[in-house]
Amino acid sequence: MANERQARLADRIKVLIAERLEKGLRDPRLGFVTITDVRVTGDLQHASVFYTVLGSEQERNDTAEALRAATGMLRSEVGRRLGVRLTPTLEFIADGIPENAGHIEDLLREARERDEQVAGLAASASYAGDADPYVKAVEADED
């Protein structure tokens, strides 16, 4: 039951924060933010909010600072609209999904290139010895 409540609370917090960010904060540092996930602790006292930012490294840093500055305001709005007795603390964590996905894409591209090289070598390869090195029963009888 606690896990269901955690999941419902996390989903609701995700929606509330996303709606508030969509309306916009009065902070010019805030970039194009996407809330990817929210995880709430078992005692419902702390929420980790994962987000991604579209843009350069500077824009990501500026957005992190803007979210850190707006944490109190976002928490009070979440508490007001959530309707629970104790409002969880919010912690904004930059999600590493885009960087990990880029790294995985690079690894897959490298593996594909190596597979193509191996296939090219295999196509032009010849046997080191006879094409069929095994002695067949018919050949053994003939000798």
Side-chain angles (χ1 to χ4, degrees), residues 17 20-21 25 27 29-35 49-53 59-75 90-94:
I17 292 175
R20 182 62 181 111
L21 291 176
L25 298 176
D27 196 331
R29 299 176 295 179
L30 189 67
F32 186 73
V33 180
T34 302
I35 305 298
V49 181
F50 294 90
Y51 68 94
T52 59
V53 179
E59 290 171 323
R60 281 183 272 217
N61 293 336
D62 290 346
T63 299
E65 289 298 319
L67 288 174
R68 200 169 298 118
T71 300
M73 184 274 301
L74 290 171
R75 181 176 182 223
L90 300 177
E91 176 187 15
F92 288 94
I93 302 170

PDB file of all heavy atoms in Angstrom, residues 17 20-21 25 27 29-35 49-53 59-75 90-94:
ATOM      1  N   ILE A  17       4.686  20.097 -10.693  1.00  0.00           N
ATOM      2  CA  ILE A  17       5.908  20.849 -11.000  1.00  0.00           C
ATOM      3  C   ILE A  17       5.980  21.152 -12.494  1.00  0.00           C
ATOM      4  O   ILE A  17       6.337  22.263 -12.897  1.00  0.00           O
ATOM      5  CB  ILE A  17       7.159  20.100 -10.510  1.00  0.00           C
ATOM      6  CG1 ILE A  17       7.174  20.089  -8.982  1.00  0.00           C
ATOM      7  CG2 ILE A  17       8.434  20.736 -11.047  1.00  0.00           C
ATOM      8  CD1 ILE A  17       8.292  19.287  -8.382  1.00  0.00           C
ATOM      9  N   ARG A  20       3.672  23.967 -13.321  1.00  0.00           N
ATOM     10  CA  ARG A  20       4.194  25.250 -12.833  1.00  0.00           C
ATOM     11  C   ARG A  20       5.334  25.743 -13.711  1.00  0.00           C
ATOM     12  O   ARG A  20       5.428  26.933 -14.021  1.00  0.00           O
ATOM     13  CB  ARG A  20       4.647  25.117 -11.376  1.00  0.00           C
ATOM     14  CG  ARG A  20       5.160  26.414 -10.804  1.00  0.00           C
ATOM     15  CD  ARG A  20       4.035  27.460 -10.807  1.00  0.00           C
ATOM     16  NE  ARG A  20       4.506  28.706 -10.288  1.00  0.00           N
ATOM     17  CZ  ARG A  20       4.674  29.811 -11.032  1.00  0.00           C
ATOM     18  NH1 ARG A  20       4.376  29.796 -12.308  1.00  0.00           N
ATOM     19  NH2 ARG A  20       5.122  30.911 -10.489  1.00  0.00           N
ATOM     20  N   LEU A  21       6.205  24.835 -14.126  1.00  0.00           N
ATOM     21  CA  LEU A  21       7.314  25.232 -14.994  1.00  0.00           C
ATOM     22  C   LEU A  21       6.815  25.617 -16.377  1.00  0.00           C
ATOM     23  O   LEU A  21       7.409  26.473 -17.041  1.00  0.00           O
ATOM     24  CB  LEU A  21       8.350  24.109 -15.092  1.00  0.00           C
ATOM     25  CG  LEU A  21       9.139  23.827 -13.815  1.00  0.00           C
ATOM     26  CD1 LEU A  21      10.061  22.644 -14.015  1.00  0.00           C
ATOM     27  CD2 LEU A  21       9.904  25.046 -13.346  1.00  0.00           C
ATOM     28  N   LEU A  25       8.564  30.501 -14.637  1.00  0.00           N
ATOM     29  CA  LEU A  25       9.044  31.181 -13.441  1.00  0.00           C
ATOM     30  C   LEU A  25       9.594  32.523 -13.890  1.00  0.00           C
ATOM     31  O   LEU A  25       9.955  32.705 -15.046  1.00  0.00           O
ATOM     32  CB  LEU A  25      10.154  30.368 -12.772  1.00  0.00           C
ATOM     33  CG  LEU A  25       9.781  28.968 -12.267  1.00  0.00           C
ATOM     34  CD1 LEU A  25      11.025  28.286 -11.725  1.00  0.00           C
ATOM     35  CD2 LEU A  25       8.722  29.050 -11.193  1.00  0.00           C
ATOM     36  N   ASP A  27      12.327  33.768 -13.777  1.00  0.00           N
ATOM     37  CA  ASP A  27      13.782  33.666 -13.722  1.00  0.00           C
ATOM     38  C   ASP A  27      14.299  33.495 -15.156  1.00  0.00           C
ATOM     39  O   ASP A  27      14.003  32.484 -15.809  1.00  0.00           O
ATOM     40  CB  ASP A  27      14.196  32.465 -12.856  1.00  0.00           C
ATOM     41  CG  ASP A  27      15.645  32.528 -12.453  1.00  0.00           C
ATOM     42  OD1 ASP A  27      16.459  33.114 -13.206  1.00  0.00           O
ATOM     43  OD2 ASP A  27      15.985  31.983 -11.391  1.00  0.00           O
ATOM     44  N   ARG A  29      17.074  32.677 -16.152  1.00  0.00           N
ATOM     45  CA  ARG A  29      18.049  31.591 -16.274  1.00  0.00           C
ATOM     46  C   ARG A  29      17.402  30.261 -16.616  1.00  0.00           C
ATOM     47  O   ARG A  29      18.067  29.346 -17.073  1.00  0.00           O
ATOM     48  CB  ARG A  29      18.826  31.426 -14.963  1.00  0.00           C
ATOM     49  CG  ARG A  29      19.605  32.646 -14.560  1.00  0.00           C
ATOM     50  CD  ARG A  29      20.255  32.441 -13.232  1.00  0.00           C
ATOM     51  NE  ARG A  29      19.214  32.305 -12.198  1.00  0.00           N
ATOM     52  CZ  ARG A  29      19.467  32.091 -10.918  1.00  0.00           C
ATOM     53  NH1 ARG A  29      20.710  31.982 -10.497  1.00  0.00           N
ATOM     54  NH2 ARG A  29      18.483  31.998 -10.037  1.00  0.00           N
ATOM     55  N   LEU A  30      16.101  30.144 -16.397  1.00  0.00           N
ATOM     56  CA  LEU A  30      15.408  28.878 -16.608  1.00  0.00           C
ATOM     57  C   LEU A  30      15.326  28.568 -18.095  1.00  0.00           C
ATOM     58  O   LEU A  30      14.834  29.357 -18.887  1.00  0.00           O
ATOM     59  CB  LEU A  30      13.999  28.940 -16.012  1.00  0.00           C
ATOM     60  CG  LEU A  30      13.242  27.627 -15.966  1.00  0.00           C
ATOM     61  CD1 LEU A  30      13.914  26.664 -14.999  1.00  0.00           C
ATOM     62  CD2 LEU A  30      11.806  27.859 -15.563  1.00  0.00           C
ATOM     63  N   GLY A  31      15.826  27.395 -18.471  1.00  0.00           N
ATOM     64  CA  GLY A  31      15.808  26.968 -19.868  1.00  0.00           C
ATOM     65  C   GLY A  31      14.609  26.073 -20.147  1.00  0.00           C
ATOM     66  O   GLY A  31      13.620  26.057 -19.408  1.00  0.00           O
ATOM     67  N   PHE A  32      14.701  25.336 -21.238  1.00  0.00           N
ATOM     68  CA  PHE A  32      13.636  24.418 -21.631  1.00  0.00           C
ATOM     69  C   PHE A  32      13.793  23.143 -20.810  1.00  0.00           C
ATOM     70  O   PHE A  32      14.631  22.301 -21.097  1.00  0.00           O
ATOM     71  CB  PHE A  32      13.717  24.125 -23.129  1.00  0.00           C
ATOM     72  CG  PHE A  32      12.579  23.298 -23.628  1.00  0.00           C
ATOM     73  CD1 PHE A  32      11.316  23.844 -23.754  1.00  0.00           C
ATOM     74  CD2 PHE A  32      12.768  21.973 -23.957  1.00  0.00           C
ATOM     75  CE1 PHE A  32      10.254  23.082 -24.207  1.00  0.00           C
ATOM     76  CE2 PHE A  32      11.729  21.205 -24.412  1.00  0.00           C
ATOM     77  CZ  PHE A  32      10.464  21.754 -24.533  1.00  0.00           C
ATOM     78  N   VAL A  33      12.985  22.996 -19.751  1.00  0.00           N
ATOM     79  CA  VAL A  33      13.113  21.920 -18.777  1.00  0.00           C
ATOM     80  C   VAL A  33      12.041  20.865 -19.016  1.00  0.00           C
ATOM     81  O   VAL A  33      10.888  21.186 -19.286  1.00  0.00           O
ATOM     82  CB  VAL A  33      12.964  22.468 -17.336  1.00  0.00           C
ATOM     83  CG1 VAL A  33      13.102  21.356 -16.316  1.00  0.00           C
ATOM     84  CG2 VAL A  33      13.969  23.544 -17.072  1.00  0.00           C
ATOM     85  N   THR A  34      12.432  19.613 -18.878  1.00  0.00           N
ATOM     86  CA  THR A  34      11.496  18.498 -18.909  1.00  0.00           C
ATOM     87  C   THR A  34      11.680  17.697 -17.632  1.00  0.00           C
ATOM     88  O   THR A  34      12.794  17.278 -17.312  1.00  0.00           O
ATOM     89  CB  THR A  34      11.766  17.580 -20.123  1.00  0.00           C
ATOM     90  OG1 THR A  34      11.661  18.352 -21.312  1.00  0.00           O
ATOM     91  CG2 THR A  34      10.775  16.437 -20.173  1.00  0.00           C
ATOM     92  N   ILE A  35      10.592  17.502 -16.904  1.00  0.00           N
ATOM     93  CA  ILE A  35      10.643  16.673 -15.697  1.00  0.00           C
ATOM     94  C   ILE A  35      10.519  15.220 -16.152  1.00  0.00           C
ATOM     95  O   ILE A  35       9.517  14.825 -16.738  1.00  0.00           O
ATOM     96  CB  ILE A  35       9.501  17.032 -14.715  1.00  0.00           C
ATOM     97  CG1 ILE A  35       9.530  18.519 -14.368  1.00  0.00           C
ATOM     98  CG2 ILE A  35       9.565  16.171 -13.470  1.00  0.00           C
ATOM     99  CD1 ILE A  35      10.778  18.974 -13.676  1.00  0.00           C
ATOM    100  N   VAL A  49      13.419  15.072  -7.701  1.00  0.00           N
ATOM    101  CA  VAL A  49      12.831  15.438  -8.992  1.00  0.00           C
ATOM    102  C   VAL A  49      13.945  15.413 -10.032  1.00  0.00           C
ATOM    103  O   VAL A  49      14.892  16.190  -9.948  1.00  0.00           O
ATOM    104  CB  VAL A  49      12.174  16.832  -8.930  1.00  0.00           C
ATOM    105  CG1 VAL A  49      11.554  17.190 -10.267  1.00  0.00           C
ATOM    106  CG2 VAL A  49      11.158  16.904  -7.810  1.00  0.00           C
ATOM    107  N   PHE A  50      13.823  14.518 -11.011  1.00  0.00           N
ATOM    108  CA  PHE A  50      14.819  14.395 -12.070  1.00  0.00           C
ATOM    109  C   PHE A  50      14.349  15.193 -13.277  1.00  0.00           C
ATOM    110  O   PHE A  50      13.183  15.144 -13.650  1.00  0.00           O
ATOM    111  CB  PHE A  50      15.016  12.921 -12.441  1.00  0.00           C
ATOM    112  CG  PHE A  50      15.616  12.115 -11.322  1.00  0.00           C
ATOM    113  CD1 PHE A  50      14.808  11.496 -10.393  1.00  0.00           C
ATOM    114  CD2 PHE A  50      16.983  11.990 -11.202  1.00  0.00           C
ATOM    115  CE1 PHE A  50      15.346  10.756  -9.356  1.00  0.00           C
ATOM    116  CE2 PHE A  50      17.543  11.256 -10.171  1.00  0.00           C
ATOM    117  CZ  PHE A  50      16.719  10.640  -9.240  1.00  0.00           C
ATOM    118  N   TYR A  51      15.276  15.917 -13.884  1.00  0.00           N
ATOM    119  CA  TYR A  51      14.923  16.775 -15.011  1.00  0.00           C
ATOM    120  C   TYR A  51      16.029  16.766 -16.057  1.00  0.00           C
ATOM    121  O   TYR A  51      17.176  16.410 -15.765  1.00  0.00           O
ATOM    122  CB  TYR A  51      14.678  18.219 -14.544  1.00  0.00           C
ATOM    123  CG  TYR A  51      15.932  18.912 -14.053  1.00  0.00           C
ATOM    124  CD1 TYR A  51      16.692  19.692 -14.903  1.00  0.00           C
ATOM    125  CD2 TYR A  51      16.365  18.778 -12.732  1.00  0.00           C
ATOM    126  CE1 TYR A  51      17.850  20.321 -14.467  1.00  0.00           C
ATOM    127  CE2 TYR A  51      17.514  19.395 -12.293  1.00  0.00           C
ATOM    128  CZ  TYR A  51      18.253  20.162 -13.165  1.00  0.00           C
ATOM    129  OH  TYR A  51      19.403  20.772 -12.724  1.00  0.00           O
ATOM    130  N   THR A  52      15.658  17.120 -17.269  1.00  0.00           N
ATOM    131  CA  THR A  52      16.628  17.322 -18.343  1.00  0.00           C
ATOM    132  C   THR A  52      16.419  18.721 -18.910  1.00  0.00           C
ATOM    133  O   THR A  52      15.327  19.285 -18.810  1.00  0.00           O
ATOM    134  CB  THR A  52      16.472  16.295 -19.482  1.00  0.00           C
ATOM    135  OG1 THR A  52      15.162  16.414 -20.016  1.00  0.00           O
ATOM    136  CG2 THR A  52      16.714  14.891 -19.014  1.00  0.00           C
ATOM    137  N   VAL A  53      17.467  19.259 -19.496  1.00  0.00           N
ATOM    138  CA  VAL A  53      17.409  20.590 -20.085  1.00  0.00           C
ATOM    139  C   VAL A  53      17.944  20.498 -21.501  1.00  0.00           C
ATOM    140  O   VAL A  53      19.011  19.938 -21.740  1.00  0.00           O
ATOM    141  CB  VAL A  53      18.260  21.605 -19.273  1.00  0.00           C
ATOM    142  CG1 VAL A  53      18.213  22.979 -19.909  1.00  0.00           C
ATOM    143  CG2 VAL A  53      17.804  21.654 -17.839  1.00  0.00           C
ATOM    144  N   GLU A  59      23.518  26.589 -20.340  1.00  0.00           N
ATOM    145  CA  GLU A  59      22.073  26.637 -20.103  1.00  0.00           C
ATOM    146  C   GLU A  59      21.655  25.627 -19.047  1.00  0.00           C
ATOM    147  O   GLU A  59      20.772  25.891 -18.233  1.00  0.00           O
ATOM    148  CB  GLU A  59      21.312  26.384 -21.412  1.00  0.00           C
ATOM    149  CG  GLU A  59      21.437  27.531 -22.398  1.00  0.00           C
ATOM    150  CD  GLU A  59      20.874  27.200 -23.760  1.00  0.00           C
ATOM    151  OE1 GLU A  59      21.024  26.045 -24.200  1.00  0.00           O
ATOM    152  OE2 GLU A  59      20.287  28.111 -24.379  1.00  0.00           O
ATOM    153  N   ARG A  60      22.304  24.469 -19.052  1.00  0.00           N
ATOM    154  CA  ARG A  60      22.002  23.464 -18.016  1.00  0.00           C
ATOM    155  C   ARG A  60      22.394  23.973 -16.635  1.00  0.00           C
ATOM    156  O   ARG A  60      21.648  23.814 -15.672  1.00  0.00           O
ATOM    157  CB  ARG A  60      22.717  22.157 -18.327  1.00  0.00           C
ATOM    158  CG  ARG A  60      22.010  21.354 -19.400  1.00  0.00           C
ATOM    159  CD  ARG A  60      22.715  20.069 -19.608  1.00  0.00           C
ATOM    160  NE  ARG A  60      23.746  20.346 -20.609  1.00  0.00           N
ATOM    161  CZ  ARG A  60      24.116  19.534 -21.561  1.00  0.00           C
ATOM    162  NH1 ARG A  60      23.605  18.357 -21.633  1.00  0.00           N
ATOM    163  NH2 ARG A  60      25.015  19.888 -22.446  1.00  0.00           N
ATOM    164  N   ASN A  61      23.565  24.604 -16.543  1.00  0.00           N
ATOM    165  CA  ASN A  61      24.010  25.147 -15.256  1.00  0.00           C
ATOM    166  C   ASN A  61      23.095  26.272 -14.783  1.00  0.00           C
ATOM    167  O   ASN A  61      22.744  26.349 -13.600  1.00  0.00           O
ATOM    168  CB  ASN A  61      25.449  25.647 -15.354  1.00  0.00           C
ATOM    169  CG  ASN A  61      26.425  24.519 -15.561  1.00  0.00           C
ATOM    170  OD1 ASN A  61      26.159  23.372 -15.217  1.00  0.00           O
ATOM    171  ND2 ASN A  61      27.564  24.819 -16.145  1.00  0.00           N
ATOM    172  N   ASP A  62      22.700  27.153 -15.703  1.00  0.00           N
ATOM    173  CA  ASP A  62      21.795  28.248 -15.352  1.00  0.00           C
ATOM    174  C   ASP A  62      20.442  27.721 -14.885  1.00  0.00           C
ATOM    175  O   ASP A  62      19.869  28.218 -13.915  1.00  0.00           O
ATOM    176  CB  ASP A  62      21.596  29.191 -16.541  1.00  0.00           C
ATOM    177  CG  ASP A  62      22.838  30.002 -16.850  1.00  0.00           C
ATOM    178  OD1 ASP A  62      23.757  30.041 -15.997  1.00  0.00           O
ATOM    179  OD2 ASP A  62      22.900  30.591 -17.949  1.00  0.00           O
ATOM    180  N   THR A  63      19.941  26.706 -15.558  1.00  0.00           N
ATOM    181  CA  THR A  63      18.659  26.121 -15.175  1.00  0.00           C
ATOM    182  C   THR A  63      18.750  25.460 -13.811  1.00  0.00           C
ATOM    183  O   THR A  63      17.825  25.563 -12.995  1.00  0.00           O
ATOM    184  CB  THR A  63      18.195  25.109 -16.236  1.00  0.00           C
ATOM    185  OG1 THR A  63      18.028  25.800 -17.475  1.00  0.00           O
ATOM    186  CG2 THR A  63      16.899  24.447 -15.850  1.00  0.00           C
ATOM    187  N   ALA A  64      19.872  24.805 -13.533  1.00  0.00           N
ATOM    188  CA  ALA A  64      20.058  24.183 -12.218  1.00  0.00           C
ATOM    189  C   ALA A  64      20.020  25.247 -11.121  1.00  0.00           C
ATOM    190  O   ALA A  64      19.392  25.047 -10.070  1.00  0.00           O
ATOM    191  CB  ALA A  64      21.377  23.415 -12.181  1.00  0.00           C
ATOM    192  N   GLU A  65      20.668  26.366 -11.373  1.00  0.00           N
ATOM    193  CA  GLU A  65      20.647  27.460 -10.391  1.00  0.00           C
ATOM    194  C   GLU A  65      19.237  28.037 -10.235  1.00  0.00           C
ATOM    195  O   GLU A  65      18.798  28.342  -9.119  1.00  0.00           O
ATOM    196  CB  GLU A  65      21.619  28.568 -10.811  1.00  0.00           C
ATOM    197  CG  GLU A  65      23.078  28.185 -10.663  1.00  0.00           C
ATOM    198  CD  GLU A  65      23.448  27.899  -9.219  1.00  0.00           C
ATOM    199  OE1 GLU A  65      23.000  28.626  -8.318  1.00  0.00           O
ATOM    200  OE2 GLU A  65      24.185  26.929  -9.004  1.00  0.00           O
ATOM    201  N   ALA A  66      18.521  28.185 -11.332  1.00  0.00           N
ATOM    202  CA  ALA A  66      17.156  28.721 -11.263  1.00  0.00           C
ATOM    203  C   ALA A  66      16.246  27.782 -10.489  1.00  0.00           C
ATOM    204  O   ALA A  66      15.427  28.235  -9.672  1.00  0.00           O
ATOM    205  CB  ALA A  66      16.613  28.951 -12.677  1.00  0.00           C
ATOM    206  N   LEU A  67      16.375  26.487 -10.723  1.00  0.00           N
ATOM    207  CA  LEU A  67      15.545  25.521  -9.979  1.00  0.00           C
ATOM    208  C   LEU A  67      15.913  25.499  -8.505  1.00  0.00           C
ATOM    209  O   LEU A  67      15.038  25.394  -7.640  1.00  0.00           O
ATOM    210  CB  LEU A  67      15.685  24.123 -10.593  1.00  0.00           C
ATOM    211  CG  LEU A  67      15.019  23.928 -11.951  1.00  0.00           C
ATOM    212  CD1 LEU A  67      15.368  22.554 -12.517  1.00  0.00           C
ATOM    213  CD2 LEU A  67      13.517  24.096 -11.837  1.00  0.00           C
ATOM    214  N   ARG A  68      17.196  25.611  -8.215  1.00  0.00           N
ATOM    215  CA  ARG A  68      17.634  25.641  -6.813  1.00  0.00           C
ATOM    216  C   ARG A  68      17.061  26.879  -6.115  1.00  0.00           C
ATOM    217  O   ARG A  68      16.621  26.809  -4.975  1.00  0.00           O
ATOM    218  CB  ARG A  68      19.153  25.644  -6.760  1.00  0.00           C
ATOM    219  CG  ARG A  68      19.702  25.201  -5.422  1.00  0.00           C
ATOM    220  CD  ARG A  68      21.206  24.954  -5.460  1.00  0.00           C
ATOM    221  NE  ARG A  68      21.561  23.882  -6.382  1.00  0.00           N
ATOM    222  CZ  ARG A  68      22.329  24.037  -7.457  1.00  0.00           C
ATOM    223  NH1 ARG A  68      22.854  25.210  -7.740  1.00  0.00           N
ATOM    224  NH2 ARG A  68      22.609  23.025  -8.244  1.00  0.00           N
ATOM    225  N   ALA A  69      17.034  27.995  -6.828  1.00  0.00           N
ATOM    226  CA  ALA A  69      16.497  29.227  -6.244  1.00  0.00           C
ATOM    227  C   ALA A  69      14.981  29.163  -6.076  1.00  0.00           C
ATOM    228  O   ALA A  69      14.426  29.762  -5.158  1.00  0.00           O
ATOM    229  CB  ALA A  69      16.873  30.423  -7.113  1.00  0.00           C
ATOM    230  N   ALA A  70      14.307  28.425  -6.943  1.00  0.00           N
ATOM    231  CA  ALA A  70      12.837  28.367  -6.910  1.00  0.00           C
ATOM    232  C   ALA A  70      12.306  27.175  -6.111  1.00  0.00           C
ATOM    233  O   ALA A  70      11.088  26.981  -6.052  1.00  0.00           O
ATOM    234  CB  ALA A  70      12.304  28.290  -8.330  1.00  0.00           C
ATOM    235  N   THR A  71      13.179  26.413  -5.475  1.00  0.00           N
ATOM    236  CA  THR A  71      12.747  25.212  -4.757  1.00  0.00           C
ATOM    237  C   THR A  71      11.714  25.524  -3.683  1.00  0.00           C
ATOM    238  O   THR A  71      10.702  24.824  -3.561  1.00  0.00           O
ATOM    239  CB  THR A  71      13.962  24.489  -4.134  1.00  0.00           C
ATOM    240  OG1 THR A  71      14.848  24.114  -5.183  1.00  0.00           O
ATOM    241  CG2 THR A  71      13.550  23.255  -3.374  1.00  0.00           C
ATOM    242  N   GLY A  72      11.913  26.557  -2.897  1.00  0.00           N
ATOM    243  CA  GLY A  72      10.968  26.909  -1.838  1.00  0.00           C
ATOM    244  C   GLY A  72       9.602  27.277  -2.386  1.00  0.00           C
ATOM    245  O   GLY A  72       8.563  26.823  -1.864  1.00  0.00           O
ATOM    246  N   MET A  73       9.583  28.074  -3.424  1.00  0.00           N
ATOM    247  CA  MET A  73       8.316  28.477  -4.027  1.00  0.00           C
ATOM    248  C   MET A  73       7.602  27.266  -4.624  1.00  0.00           C
ATOM    249  O   MET A  73       6.388  27.103  -4.462  1.00  0.00           O
ATOM    250  CB  MET A  73       8.574  29.538  -5.102  1.00  0.00           C
ATOM    251  CG  MET A  73       7.311  30.114  -5.743  1.00  0.00           C
ATOM    252  SD  MET A  73       6.650  29.190  -7.145  1.00  0.00           S
ATOM    253  CE  MET A  73       8.006  29.220  -8.273  1.00  0.00           C
ATOM    254  N   LEU A  74       8.358  26.393  -5.312  1.00  0.00           N
ATOM    255  CA  LEU A  74       7.752  25.198  -5.902  1.00  0.00           C
ATOM    256  C   LEU A  74       7.229  24.261  -4.823  1.00  0.00           C
ATOM    257  O   LEU A  74       6.148  23.679  -4.961  1.00  0.00           O
ATOM    258  CB  LEU A  74       8.762  24.484  -6.795  1.00  0.00           C
ATOM    259  CG  LEU A  74       9.122  25.196  -8.091  1.00  0.00           C
ATOM    260  CD1 LEU A  74      10.301  24.510  -8.784  1.00  0.00           C
ATOM    261  CD2 LEU A  74       7.930  25.255  -9.022  1.00  0.00           C
ATOM    262  N   ARG A  75       7.968  24.133  -3.733  1.00  0.00           N
ATOM    263  CA  ARG A  75       7.519  23.259  -2.643  1.00  0.00           C
ATOM    264  C   ARG A  75       6.235  23.794  -2.018  1.00  0.00           C
ATOM    265  O   ARG A  75       5.311  23.028  -1.732  1.00  0.00           O
ATOM    266  CB  ARG A  75       8.603  23.139  -1.579  1.00  0.00           C
ATOM    267  CG  ARG A  75       8.185  22.223  -0.452  1.00  0.00           C
ATOM    268  CD  ARG A  75       9.286  22.017   0.555  1.00  0.00           C
ATOM    269  NE  ARG A  75       8.816  21.100   1.579  1.00  0.00           N
ATOM    270  CZ  ARG A  75       9.028  21.254   2.861  1.00  0.00           C
ATOM    271  NH1 ARG A  75       9.726  22.290   3.295  1.00  0.00           N
ATOM    272  NH2 ARG A  75       8.561  20.379   3.727  1.00  0.00           N
ATOM    273  N   LEU A  90      11.808  19.037  -1.704  1.00  0.00           N
ATOM    274  CA  LEU A  90      12.118  18.794  -3.108  1.00  0.00           C
ATOM    275  C   LEU A  90      13.613  18.914  -3.340  1.00  0.00           C
ATOM    276  O   LEU A  90      14.257  19.828  -2.836  1.00  0.00           O
ATOM    277  CB  LEU A  90      11.390  19.795  -4.005  1.00  0.00           C
ATOM    278  CG  LEU A  90       9.872  19.818  -3.938  1.00  0.00           C
ATOM    279  CD1 LEU A  90       9.323  20.913  -4.844  1.00  0.00           C
ATOM    280  CD2 LEU A  90       9.277  18.477  -4.305  1.00  0.00           C
ATOM    281  N   GLU A  91      14.134  17.988  -4.107  1.00  0.00           N
ATOM    282  CA  GLU A  91      15.538  18.036  -4.505  1.00  0.00           C
ATOM    283  C   GLU A  91      15.576  17.851  -6.017  1.00  0.00           C
ATOM    284  O   GLU A  91      15.070  16.851  -6.536  1.00  0.00           O
ATOM    285  CB  GLU A  91      16.322  16.920  -3.816  1.00  0.00           C
ATOM    286  CG  GLU A  91      17.756  16.842  -4.255  1.00  0.00           C
ATOM    287  CD  GLU A  91      18.479  15.628  -3.678  1.00  0.00           C
ATOM    288  OE1 GLU A  91      17.827  14.711  -3.186  1.00  0.00           O
ATOM    289  OE2 GLU A  91      19.713  15.627  -3.750  1.00  0.00           O
ATOM    290  N   PHE A  92      16.154  18.801  -6.727  1.00  0.00           N
ATOM    291  CA  PHE A  92      16.229  18.731  -8.178  1.00  0.00           C
ATOM    292  C   PHE A  92      17.563  18.124  -8.584  1.00  0.00           C
ATOM    293  O   PHE A  92      18.626  18.590  -8.171  1.00  0.00           O
ATOM    294  CB  PHE A  92      16.056  20.120  -8.797  1.00  0.00           C
ATOM    295  CG  PHE A  92      14.654  20.621  -8.692  1.00  0.00           C
ATOM    296  CD1 PHE A  92      14.265  21.428  -7.626  1.00  0.00           C
ATOM    297  CD2 PHE A  92      13.710  20.272  -9.623  1.00  0.00           C
ATOM    298  CE1 PHE A  92      12.972  21.881  -7.509  1.00  0.00           C
ATOM    299  CE2 PHE A  92      12.408  20.716  -9.525  1.00  0.00           C
ATOM    300  CZ  PHE A  92      12.032  21.523  -8.465  1.00  0.00           C
ATOM    301  N   ILE A  93      17.486  17.066  -9.392  1.00  0.00           N
ATOM    302  CA  ILE A  93      18.672  16.336  -9.826  1.00  0.00           C
ATOM    303  C   ILE A  93      18.661  16.276 -11.353  1.00  0.00           C
ATOM    304  O   ILE A  93      17.674  15.851 -11.951  1.00  0.00           O
ATOM    305  CB  ILE A  93      18.682  14.906  -9.248  1.00  0.00           C
ATOM    306  CG1 ILE A  93      18.641  14.956  -7.720  1.00  0.00           C
ATOM    307  CG2 ILE A  93      19.892  14.132  -9.740  1.00  0.00           C
ATOM    308  CD1 ILE A  93      18.406  13.623  -7.059  1.00  0.00           C
ATOM    309  N   ALA A  94      19.755  16.710 -11.949  1.00  0.00           N
ATOM    310  CA  ALA A  94      19.866  16.645 -13.411  1.00  0.00           C
ATOM    311  C   ALA A  94      19.939  15.183 -13.835  1.00  0.00           C
ATOM    312  O   ALA A  94      20.731  14.407 -13.314  1.00  0.00           O
ATOM    313  CB  ALA A  94      21.103  17.398 -13.880  1.00  0.00           C
TER     314      ALA A  94
END
